Amino acid sequence: MKIAIIGAGFAGLSSAKVLGSLGHEITVFEKAPDVGGVWSSTRRYPGLTTQNNKQTYHLSELKMPRRYPQWLASEQVQEYLETYVERFGLGGCLRLGTEITKVTPTTDEDGWLVTANGETEQFDHVVVANGIFSTPVIPDYEGVAELEAAGGRLISTSDLRSLDEVAGRHVLMVGYGKSSCDVAAAVAEVAESTDLIARDLLWKVPRKVAGILNYKYLLLTRFGEGLFPYQKLTGVEKLLHANNSRIAHGLTESVGAVVTRQLGLEKLGLVPEKPFHTIAKASVSLASEGFYEGVRDGSITVHRRRTITRFLEKNSKPYAELSDGTVLRADVVICGTGFRQEVPFFDDAIQQRLTDADGNFLLYRHILPLDVPNLTFAGYNSSFFSPLSAEMAAVWTGSYLAGAHKLPTADQMRASTTERIAWMEARTDGHHARGTNVVPFSLHNIDEVLDEAGLNLGKFTRALQWLAPVSPWSYRKVSRKLARRIASLEQPRAD
């Protein structure tokens, strides 16, 4: 097949490698001038690092270099992806600095017309790998004109390129996710003042719990994942969640108590209102290096249970008024307030066929649209192991395109997809990124994808993953196994 892949981050590049190795003709379109997706040089904010350690954050057939630190800087992740391109010969299929403006089905819907840089090309299949963190959300604040007239700026975290932009300025951070706390810690070192506005507080996990237990042993194992109730409980998980999840909640709350003491949350007034076991209702966040230290020494001030109600100009200076009436100087306002999951290159008719009435993506296994042919998604199963999750979705797609595994009926896929979205909606109080964020159930999702394709790891290897952090390297033979299976299917049978 002639396949267009939209996006050159982890999902797009691993899709190109997997599908290209199966004999498809691949073209990868990327609007940025480099590969990387969220790790592109055009999107990196000061202080950006990975949440995973390097042993768990890579694609299956290429480990991170030994010389890299445990937690990777954004430049190192982007360098790794450039190495991946070189190692697997993907350079020839890349079209960098090429933004797709329109993707429309052919007249008989047996392919796609892809328009980029004013030119249109036909493809048999399209893989959407543009990322679920593609479009930053900035709230629609009152008084933005007044803010800007007084010389203030309103930007997203990914718009901040250098700390020189905030040196000696009064900075407001909005949000309490990882990006907000990362940026606040970096900004506080050079800004005149750094105030963080947090409507809700989220639990943060230190890189080493109690200074001893590496975070990866807590949340990057099957046991850690099993502490949170999945859609269907099986095996050991039934025991963990018996008696209204008493065992699982007891274990997670004990970790919460340790984290509270370690980070000094009570003294700082930053204990989240919800119990620690609800950490799975939102994207779990690693504690940003230097953030709580900044709160402790006064270089960062957190305004919890507050929002910005409006901006105003006073004495030719920009200010922000908070929901409690507090007025703060606001030279630079930086929003870490989430992203929209958008596919702007599709027209309204296609977008309506891709989503339900609430705007959630109707994707079977987070990959296959229910009502749009010749189209799959990669990376729309964002997780603790996002590179590996995206790569295994690409493996599933390769198997699907070759007819190497059997799909359920259309009615069964629809029922499965709608039931999953309903469960995600209830479980996360609506914070599931339109059905694309599977945190913390990374391995459950990978298992489902590979089990259906008949390509999962053996039971012994998966048993080891219960207590040991999961290594993507364990999955390095999966795509080669698929290639051999497809080759055997294509062999002519003797009469």
Side-chain angles (χ1 to χ4, degrees):
M1 284 184 167
K2 185 179 179 183
I3 298 177
I5 297 174
I6 304 174
F10 274 106
L13 294 178
S14 60
S15 294
K17 188 268 174 189
V18 170
L19 298 178
S21 69
L22 298 177
H24 299 291
E25 180 186 343
I26 305 298
T27 303
V28 181
F29 295 91
E30 171 56 60
K31 66 180 180 181
D34 53 11
V35 300
V38 295
W39 304 103
S40 164
S41 61
T42 63
R43 298 188 59 183
R44 295 198 290 255
Y45 58 77
L48 174 60
T49 62
T50 59
Q51 294 213 88
N52 291 49
N53 63 317
K54 69 177 179 180
Q55 288 87 359
T56 59
Y57 197 78
H58 61 83
L59 294 166
S60 69
E61 296 184 63
L62 182 66
K63 294 181 179 180
M64 288 287 177
R66 289 185 179 180
R67 70 179 186 278
Y68 284 1
Q70 280 294 300
W71 275 269
L72 309 163
S74 55
E75 295 85 353
Q76 291 164 331
V77 179
Q78 202 268 338
E79 182 183 75
Y80 166 84
L81 288 172
E82 289 181 337
T83 302
Y84 187 85
V85 168
E86 183 178 354
R87 175 72 59 87
F88 296 107
L90 302 179
C93 69
L94 293 178
R95 295 190 191 176
L96 302 177
T98 306
E99 183 173 5
I100 290 179
T101 53
K102 186 166 60 174
V103 178
T104 56
T106 57
T107 303
D108 51 7
E109 292 203 347
D110 64 348
W112 296 92
L113 299 174
V114 176
T115 302
N117 290 0
E119 297 183 358
T120 299
E121 190 173 351
Q122 186 167 338
F123 292 87
D124 302 312
H125 188 88
V126 168
V127 177
V128 177
N130 66 331
I132 72 165
F133 305 114
S134 54
T135 308
V137 172
I138 295 180
D140 186 18
Y141 290 120
E142 178 185 342
V144 174
E146 286 81 355
L147 174 82
E148 293 176 345
R153 295 178 65 201
L154 176 63
I155 60 175
S156 70
T157 53
S158 56
D159 292 324
L160 182 66
R161 296 285 180 268
S162 167
L163 291 178
D164 292 341
E165 301 173 41
V166 294
R169 312 294 298 280
H170 297 274
V171 178
L172 297 190
M173 287 298 315
V174 184
Y176 200 71
K178 182 178 183 296
S179 64
S180 294
C181 295
D182 280 351
V183 172
V187 163
E189 296 182 3
V190 299
E192 177 68 22
S193 65
T194 305
D195 290 84
L196 186 144
I197 317 302
R199 181 174 56 187
D200 299 303
L201 296 186
L202 305 175
W203 283 99
K204 309 283 187 176
V205 181
R207 291 178 177 180
K208 286 192 175 181
V209 178
I212 301 171
L213 181 65
N214 193 303
Y215 153 87
K216 65 185 180 181
Y217 290 100
L218 176 64
L219 290 175
L220 303 182
T221 65
R222 288 184 180 272
F223 179 77
E225 187 171 313
L227 292 175
F228 306 101
Y230 193 55
Q231 190 174 3
K232 295 179 181 178
L233 296 175
T234 59
V236 177
E237 292 179 2
K238 283 187 175 181
L239 174 63
L240 289 172
H241 295 284
N243 296 320
N244 206 20
S245 296
R246 184 178 300 173
I247 296 175
H249 286 179
L251 289 169
T252 55
E253 291 312 307
S254 65
V255 174
V258 172
V259 168
T260 298
R261 289 194 300 271
Q262 182 176 347
L263 298 179
L265 298 182
E266 286 189 358
K267 193 172 291 186
L268 297 176
L270 296 180
V271 179
E273 294 166 347
K274 295 180 179 178
F276 190 82
H277 71 259
T278 62
I279 192 170
K281 287 182 177 286
S283 182
V284 180
S285 179
L286 196 67
S288 301
E289 291 289 291
F291 175 75
Y292 290 107
E293 293 83 351
V295 177
R296 197 171 292 115
D297 67 24
S299 60
I300 300 172
T301 302
V302 177
H303 303 264
R304 64 180 299 181
R305 302 191 196 93
R306 307 285 191 274
T307 58
I308 294 175
T309 54
R310 63 171 179 151
F311 296 116
L312 58 153
E313 179 184 350
K314 292 175 61 178
N315 301 320
S316 300
K317 303 292 184 183
Y319 287 83
E321 183 181 281
L322 306 188
S323 51
D324 65 345
T326 301
V327 176
L328 299 172
R329 181 76 175 271
D331 297 335
V332 183
V333 181
I334 308 172
C335 294
T337 43
F339 294 82
R340 292 188 183 91
Q341 290 68 52
E342 293 187 331
V343 282
F345 34 80
F346 290 127
D347 63 22
D348 290 342
I350 294 294
Q351 297 211 37
Q352 289 174 11
R353 290 164 62 183
L354 287 172
T355 57
D356 64 14
D358 296 319
N360 300 307
F361 284 93
L362 290 171
L363 304 176
Y364 177 66
R365 299 290 186 219
H366 301 276
I367 302 169
L368 183 68
L370 300 178
D371 296 315
V372 184
N374 308 308
L375 181 68
T376 51
F377 286 69
Y380 275 54
N381 52 350
S382 178
S383 74
F384 284 152
F385 296 93
S386 285
L388 181 63
S389 298
E391 184 182 9
M392 294 306 105
V395 167
W396 187 98
T397 295
S399 178
Y400 159 71
L401 293 178
H405 72 266
K406 185 178 180 181
L407 290 178
T409 67
D411 287 343
Q412 289 170 332
M413 287 193 291
R414 186 173 299 279
S416 172
T417 302
T418 55
E419 287 170 9
R420 184 170 181 82
I421 288 175
W423 170 71
M424 294 172 75
E425 183 79 21
R427 183 185 71 80
T428 66
D429 298 327
H431 299 292
H432 51 70
R434 297 179 69 191
T436 65
N437 187 336
V438 302
V439 169
F441 302 110
S442 320
L443 299 168
H444 285 78
N445 175 251
I446 290 171
D447 282 346
E448 289 166 349
V449 165
L450 293 183
D451 281 342
E452 187 162 88
L455 296 166
N456 210 347
L457 305 185
K459 290 183 179 180
F460 178 74
T461 302
R462 283 181 283 159
L464 293 177
Q465 295 173 341
W466 266 85
L467 294 177
V470 175
S471 170
W473 183 249
S474 301
Y475 293 80
R476 65 191 180 279
K477 297 180 181 178
V478 171
S479 61
R480 282 174 269 175
K481 181 179 178 181
L482 172 61
R484 290 194 299 270
R485 176 181 297 173
I486 292 174
S488 70
L489 292 174
E490 293 172 347
Q491 290 294 327
R493 291 189 297 180
D495 293 334

